[in-house]
Amino acid sequence: SFEQAGNYGIGLIVIDSFGRDTLCTPEAIKILPGLTPDWSEDFDSGYFPPENWLLLNPDRDLNWQWREVIGPDGTLSRAAVMHHSLLLQGGLDAMILPPIDLRKGESPMLVVDVSYTRDTARIADDILRIKASEDCGNSFPHVLYNKAGSALSTFPDIDEFWNPTQAYHWRR
């Protein structure tokens, strides 16, 4: 267990009938401080994923990407985009944010701008699910947002790759 944010080394010592061996790796574990509740991400930092974010892509298919789009304010912006790449029903890709310490805020809230259209060629509906963890990512029991298919859509169904081109393609 680590009480303070920082970089920590690890060591492995093996002792068996053949002798003893030691492997030490400095700064192998990075413990992040919790971000404050007034934190925000607009994806305009110049790199993706943002620092200390983790992208999970177990099927190694297309994953979350960084794209220039017309944002919710009607100006050219950048967004995290997933282009209907999961062809198999039940596939999962995830973005995991760094820890956010909600104990430092009075009334923390999550605000997300969403733009989505269903792909008419796909059999399964996409789902956007936002979950929270209280145990550093070992489990995610709290569902903060969960919409799929037409409930998630902000634009009529389409049969091609699509990016938002108008402010009204978004909702908060």
Side-chain angles (χ1 to χ4, degrees):
S1 152
F2 301 94
E3 299 297 325
Q4 300 286 328
N7 295 323
Y8 295 88
I10 59 171
L12 174 64
I13 300 171
V14 176
I15 302 171
D16 61 17
S17 60
F18 297 105
R20 174 187 172 121
D21 198 7
T22 302
L23 173 66
C24 293
T25 304
E27 299 187 8
I29 298 174
K30 183 177 186 178
I31 304 298
L32 301 172
L35 299 172
T36 59
D38 62 349
W39 165 87
S40 69
E41 176 60 56
D42 61 11
F43 298 107
D44 286 329
S45 63
Y47 53 91
F48 184 82
E51 185 177 7
N52 298 318
W53 286 41
L54 176 64
L55 297 181
L56 295 181
N57 183 19
D59 61 3
R60 300 186 192 271
D61 197 354
L62 294 174
N63 197 349
W64 289 97
Q65 301 171 357
W66 190 43
R67 292 278 190 256
E68 285 192 340
V69 299
I70 298 301
D73 64 356
T75 63
L76 189 63
S77 185
R78 291 190 178 98
V81 175
M82 174 62 78
H83 278 298
H84 310 293
S85 62
L86 297 170
L87 300 176
L88 301 174
Q89 188 169 359
L92 169 74
D93 284 316
M95 275 193 293
I96 299 177
L97 284 64
I100 301 172
D101 188 348
L102 298 178
R103 296 171 298 182
K104 297 178 181 174
E106 289 183 28
S107 300
M109 68 194 303
L110 175 68
V111 177
V112 178
D113 294 314
V114 176
S115 182
Y116 172 76
T117 185
R118 294 186 331 155
D119 183 343
T120 57
R122 298 213 39 228
I123 296 170
D125 281 333
D126 292 314
I127 300 170
L128 178 59
R129 185 174 295 134
I130 301 173
K131 296 178 163 186
S133 173
E134 293 181 47
D135 58 7
C136 297
N138 290 315
S139 66
F140 292 88
H142 306 288
V143 177
L144 307 178
Y145 184 93
N146 187 36
K147 290 195 178 186
S150 59
L152 179 60
S153 290
T154 62
F155 193 75
D157 295 358
I158 197 164
D159 64 354
E160 59 190 38
F161 281 135
W162 177 82
N163 285 323
T165 57
Q166 301 289 329
Y168 70 84
H169 294 166
W170 294 84
R171 82 165 164 261
R172 177 166 280 187

